[in-house]
Amino acid sequence: MKLKKIIAPSLLSADFSDLKNEILSLDSKVEYLHLDVMDGSFVPNITFGPLIIKGIVKAANSVGSFKFDSHLMINNPDNYIESFVKAGSDIITVHSEALTHIDRTISLIKSFDKKAGLALNPATPCSVLKYIIQKLDLVLVMTVNPGFGGQSFIDYTLQKIERIKKMALEYNPNLIIEVDGGVKKENIKSIYDAGADLFVAGSSVFGKTDRAKAIRDLEKEVL
Ligand code: DX5
Ligand code: ZN
């Protein structure tokens, strides 16, 4: 997968009462919109599901052209994959820690002709990727404990990104390494140098008044 843009704003930090204008404020500087789905069970917070994503997709498509990156922080994701496909997701990422049968779930996502991602919590070892890496389109490295926006980046995850980059070069050079949590101007360069390709940014974009500038400022550090 070739990326046109490297910042994926997370709508978790957007104002949902004014979603269209929030998306418009990004000034079409993004390829992917990151959608954080939380179930109050896998993570201690609840956000939204397929029905709301359908609305988000409709609102976003009326103001620009985006791909929808659904990050499922939920237990039993297999039961909902089809609904997230129908809602308009282009990438569906599931958590390794929520799965007993990782291969089955990844195959299920791919059976709908969607990009399949596997997310790893900060303390989950990279070895979980060993046999599945060739089947994945994306690995999502959690750089905070999932559940909330606005947390601080956990530094030891940099080593993990480096390790996954090495694995990717050997076994799946097209793999996208996405990082999620605590990405900001001050640390994006070191995350990029470690090997990340796609950067989720919630508070460091929607927390700023000028979102297009916030995205440019992040990109400027690495491009
Ligand atoms: C956290 C979510 C993130 C979150 C990132 O569980 O997966 O996508 O929105 O927010 P920031 O960029 O504020 O850390
Ligand atoms: Zn996320």
Side-chain angles (χ1 to χ4, degrees), residues 10-205:
S10 163
L11 291 185
L12 189 63
S13 298
D15 176 359
F16 270 77
S17 70
D18 194 16
L19 197 59
K20 235 189 226 183
N21 281 321
E22 288 287 82
I23 297 171
L24 208 52
S25 76
L26 302 171
D27 209 13
S28 294
K29 293 277 184 292
V30 298
E31 180 178 8
Y32 291 103
L33 285 179
H34 186 81
L35 307 172
D36 286 306
V37 178
M38 304 186 191
D39 67 352
S41 168
F42 179 69
V43 285
N45 196 5
I46 301 178
T47 55
F48 47 78
L51 185 78
I52 304 294
I53 290 191
K54 205 170 170 187
I56 295 172
V57 168
K58 197 172 165 199
N61 284 342
S62 72
V63 296
S65 167
F66 302 96
K67 290 183 185 129
F68 300 94
D69 171 26
S70 295
H71 175 195
L72 308 190
M73 287 161 272
I74 64 174
N75 284 320
N76 304 312
D78 292 27
N79 298 346
Y80 308 98
I81 300 293
E82 187 169 2
S83 308
F84 284 104
V85 169
K86 286 188 175 149
S89 307
D90 295 289
I91 301 175
I92 297 180
T93 295
V94 287
H95 264 265
S96 58
E97 305 83 3
L99 295 172
T100 310
H101 305 287
I102 294 178
D103 184 273
R104 177 179 291 152
T105 307
I106 295 301
S107 300
L108 178 63
I109 298 169
K110 293 182 85 91
S111 74
F112 293 105
D113 215 16
K114 297 297 166 192
K115 305 291 183 200
L118 189 65
L120 272 59
N121 280 337
T124 300
C126 311
S127 53
V128 71
L129 296 171
K130 184 168 178 188
Y131 297 106
I132 195 73
I133 192 165
Q134 298 179 55
K135 260 196 182 180
L136 298 174
D137 297 293
L138 180 147
V139 168
L140 176 59
V141 183
M142 286 308 303
T143 45
V144 299
N145 290 299
F148 304 93
Q151 303 181 78
S152 299
F153 184 88
I154 297 173
D155 285 326
Y156 68 71
T157 58
L158 282 176
Q159 299 169 37
K160 237 173 118 173
I161 299 163
E162 280 171 11
R163 176 91 192 281
I164 294 169
K165 181 67 183 175
K166 278 195 192 126
M167 292 170 86
L169 288 173
E170 191 166 355
Y171 299 109
N172 183 355
N174 291 322
L175 184 80
I176 290 181
I177 301 176
E178 183 177 28
V179 288
D180 189 1
V183 174
K184 50 186 188 213
K185 225 166 61 176
E186 292 71 24
N187 60 18
I188 191 168
K189 177 79 167 80
S190 53
I191 307 169
Y192 179 86
D193 287 344
D197 306 296
L198 183 60
F199 302 80
V200 177
S203 44
S204 60
V205 170

